[in-house]
Short mmCIF file of all heavy atoms in Angstrom, two decimals:
data_model
loop_
_atom_site.label_atom_id
_atom_site.label_comp_id
_atom_site.label_asym_id
_atom_site.label_seq_id
_atom_site.Cartn_x
_atom_site.Cartn_y
_atom_site.Cartn_z
N ASP V 20 38.43 6.20 8.12
CA ASP V 20 39.78 6.54 8.57
C ASP V 20 40.55 5.33 9.18
O ASP V 20 41.20 5.44 10.19
CB ASP V 20 39.72 7.65 9.56
CG ASP V 20 41.00 8.46 9.62
OD1 ASP V 20 41.63 8.64 8.58
OD2 ASP V 20 41.36 8.93 10.75
N ALA V 21 40.35 4.20 8.60
CA ALA V 21 41.08 2.97 9.02
C ALA V 21 42.42 2.95 8.33
O ALA V 21 42.61 3.24 7.14
CB ALA V 21 40.28 1.74 8.59
N LYS V 22 43.46 2.53 9.09
CA LYS V 22 44.81 2.51 8.56
C LYS V 22 45.10 1.13 7.97
O LYS V 22 44.95 0.13 8.62
CB LYS V 22 45.82 2.80 9.66
CG LYS V 22 47.25 2.93 9.14
CD LYS V 22 48.20 3.42 10.20
CE LYS V 22 49.61 3.52 9.50
NZ LYS V 22 50.62 3.93 10.46
N VAL V 23 45.65 1.10 6.74
CA VAL V 23 45.91 -0.11 6.03
C VAL V 23 47.34 -0.54 6.40
O VAL V 23 48.30 0.18 6.28
CB VAL V 23 45.83 0.13 4.49
CG1 VAL V 23 46.25 -1.16 3.72
CG2 VAL V 23 44.47 0.55 4.08
N CYS V 24 47.40 -1.81 6.89
CA CYS V 24 48.76 -2.40 7.23
C CYS V 24 49.32 -3.04 6.00
O CYS V 24 50.64 -2.90 5.84
CB CYS V 24 48.55 -3.45 8.31
SG CYS V 24 48.02 -2.81 9.88
N SER V 25 48.63 -3.72 5.23
CA SER V 25 49.17 -4.32 3.98
C SER V 25 48.09 -4.42 2.91
O SER V 25 46.90 -4.45 3.19
CB SER V 25 49.67 -5.79 4.29
OG SER V 25 48.63 -6.67 4.53
N HIS V 26 48.54 -4.36 1.66
CA HIS V 26 47.76 -4.40 0.47
C HIS V 26 48.38 -5.26 -0.50
O HIS V 26 49.46 -4.92 -0.96
CB HIS V 26 47.43 -2.96 0.00
CG HIS V 26 46.61 -2.94 -1.21
ND1 HIS V 26 46.87 -1.95 -2.21
CD2 HIS V 26 45.69 -3.78 -1.75
CE1 HIS V 26 46.02 -2.17 -3.22
NE2 HIS V 26 45.28 -3.26 -2.99
N THR V 27 47.77 -6.43 -0.88
CA THR V 27 48.33 -7.27 -1.95
C THR V 27 47.39 -7.28 -3.15
O THR V 27 46.20 -7.19 -2.96
CB THR V 27 48.55 -8.68 -1.45
OG1 THR V 27 47.34 -9.25 -1.04
CG2 THR V 27 49.56 -8.74 -0.28
N GLN V 28 48.00 -7.42 -4.31
CA GLN V 28 47.23 -7.54 -5.54
C GLN V 28 47.76 -8.67 -6.33
O GLN V 28 48.93 -8.85 -6.54
CB GLN V 28 47.39 -6.18 -6.36
CG GLN V 28 47.07 -4.93 -5.63
CD GLN V 28 47.33 -3.70 -6.37
OE1 GLN V 28 46.81 -3.53 -7.50
NE2 GLN V 28 48.15 -2.79 -5.89
N ARG V 29 46.82 -9.47 -6.86
CA ARG V 29 47.26 -10.64 -7.70
C ARG V 29 46.24 -10.76 -8.84
O ARG V 29 45.04 -10.60 -8.64
CB ARG V 29 47.40 -11.87 -6.92
CG ARG V 29 46.13 -12.31 -6.21
CD ARG V 29 46.47 -13.32 -5.08
NE ARG V 29 45.25 -13.58 -4.33
CZ ARG V 29 44.76 -12.81 -3.40
NH1 ARG V 29 45.37 -11.67 -3.15
NH2 ARG V 29 43.62 -13.05 -2.76
N VAL V 30 46.76 -11.17 -9.95
CA VAL V 30 45.95 -11.27 -11.18
C VAL V 30 45.30 -12.70 -11.23
O VAL V 30 46.04 -13.68 -11.00
CB VAL V 30 46.76 -11.03 -12.45
CG1 VAL V 30 45.95 -11.32 -13.75
CG2 VAL V 30 47.36 -9.60 -12.43
N LYS V 31 44.04 -12.84 -11.51
CA LYS V 31 43.35 -14.10 -11.68
C LYS V 31 42.35 -13.87 -12.79
O LYS V 31 41.36 -13.13 -12.68
CB LYS V 31 42.62 -14.52 -10.45
CG LYS V 31 41.98 -15.85 -10.55
CD LYS V 31 41.35 -16.37 -9.30
CE LYS V 31 40.77 -17.75 -9.51
NZ LYS V 31 40.10 -18.20 -8.29
N ASP V 32 42.61 -14.57 -13.95
CA ASP V 32 41.82 -14.39 -15.16
C ASP V 32 41.84 -12.95 -15.62
O ASP V 32 42.92 -12.39 -15.75
CB ASP V 32 40.41 -14.97 -14.98
CG ASP V 32 40.38 -16.41 -14.59
OD1 ASP V 32 41.26 -17.13 -15.09
OD2 ASP V 32 39.49 -16.79 -13.79
N ASP V 33 40.66 -12.36 -15.77
CA ASP V 33 40.61 -10.95 -16.19
C ASP V 33 40.52 -9.95 -15.03
O ASP V 33 40.37 -8.78 -15.25
CB ASP V 33 39.41 -10.71 -17.14
CG ASP V 33 39.56 -11.41 -18.45
OD1 ASP V 33 40.73 -11.72 -18.87
OD2 ASP V 33 38.56 -11.74 -19.13
N TRP V 34 40.66 -10.42 -13.82
CA TRP V 34 40.47 -9.57 -12.70
C TRP V 34 41.79 -9.46 -11.88
O TRP V 34 42.62 -10.34 -11.95
CB TRP V 34 39.40 -10.25 -11.70
CG TRP V 34 38.03 -10.25 -12.28
CD1 TRP V 34 37.42 -11.29 -12.89
CD2 TRP V 34 37.13 -9.20 -12.24
NE1 TRP V 34 36.17 -10.93 -13.33
CE2 TRP V 34 35.96 -9.60 -12.92
CE3 TRP V 34 37.10 -7.87 -11.78
CZ2 TRP V 34 34.80 -8.77 -13.09
CZ3 TRP V 34 35.98 -7.07 -11.95
CH2 TRP V 34 34.87 -7.57 -12.62
N VAL V 35 41.86 -8.40 -11.09
CA VAL V 35 42.91 -8.22 -10.12
C VAL V 35 42.32 -8.33 -8.76
O VAL V 35 41.38 -7.56 -8.44
CB VAL V 35 43.60 -6.83 -10.31
CG1 VAL V 35 44.68 -6.73 -9.23
CG2 VAL V 35 44.17 -6.65 -11.66
N LEU V 36 42.66 -9.34 -8.00
CA LEU V 36 42.13 -9.60 -6.68
C LEU V 36 42.96 -8.83 -5.68
O LEU V 36 44.23 -8.93 -5.62
CB LEU V 36 42.17 -11.06 -6.33
CG LEU V 36 41.43 -12.01 -7.34
CD1 LEU V 36 41.69 -13.42 -6.95
CD2 LEU V 36 40.00 -11.68 -7.38
N HIS V 37 42.34 -8.02 -4.79
CA HIS V 37 42.99 -7.20 -3.84
C HIS V 37 42.59 -7.71 -2.44
O HIS V 37 41.49 -8.06 -2.14
CB HIS V 37 42.43 -5.76 -3.88
CG HIS V 37 42.78 -5.10 -5.23
ND1 HIS V 37 43.78 -4.26 -5.38
CD2 HIS V 37 42.11 -5.12 -6.38
CE1 HIS V 37 43.77 -3.76 -6.61
NE2 HIS V 37 42.73 -4.34 -7.26
N THR V 38 43.63 -7.81 -1.57
CA THR V 38 43.45 -8.19 -0.15
C THR V 38 44.05 -7.10 0.68
O THR V 38 45.21 -6.75 0.49
CB THR V 38 44.09 -9.49 0.14
OG1 THR V 38 43.50 -10.52 -0.67
CG2 THR V 38 43.80 -9.94 1.64
N VAL V 39 43.31 -6.51 1.58
CA VAL V 39 43.72 -5.45 2.46
C VAL V 39 43.58 -5.87 3.92
O VAL V 39 42.58 -6.45 4.28
CB VAL V 39 42.86 -4.15 2.21
CG1 VAL V 39 43.21 -3.06 3.19
CG2 VAL V 39 42.94 -3.68 0.79
N MET V 40 44.64 -5.62 4.68
CA MET V 40 44.63 -5.87 6.14
C MET V 40 44.64 -4.50 6.82
O MET V 40 45.41 -3.63 6.47
CB MET V 40 45.81 -6.63 6.57
CG MET V 40 45.87 -8.05 6.04
SD MET V 40 44.42 -9.15 6.54
CE MET V 40 44.72 -9.28 8.28
#
Side-chain angles (χ1 to χ4, degrees):
D20 206 35
K22 186 172 182 183
V23 176
C24 294
S25 71
H26 176 211
T27 60
Q28 304 177 58
R29 61 198 170 282
V30 177
K31 183 176 181 183
D32 300 326
D33 292 337
W34 293 96
V35 178
L36 304 176
H37 298 261
T38 303
V39 175
M40 294 299 292

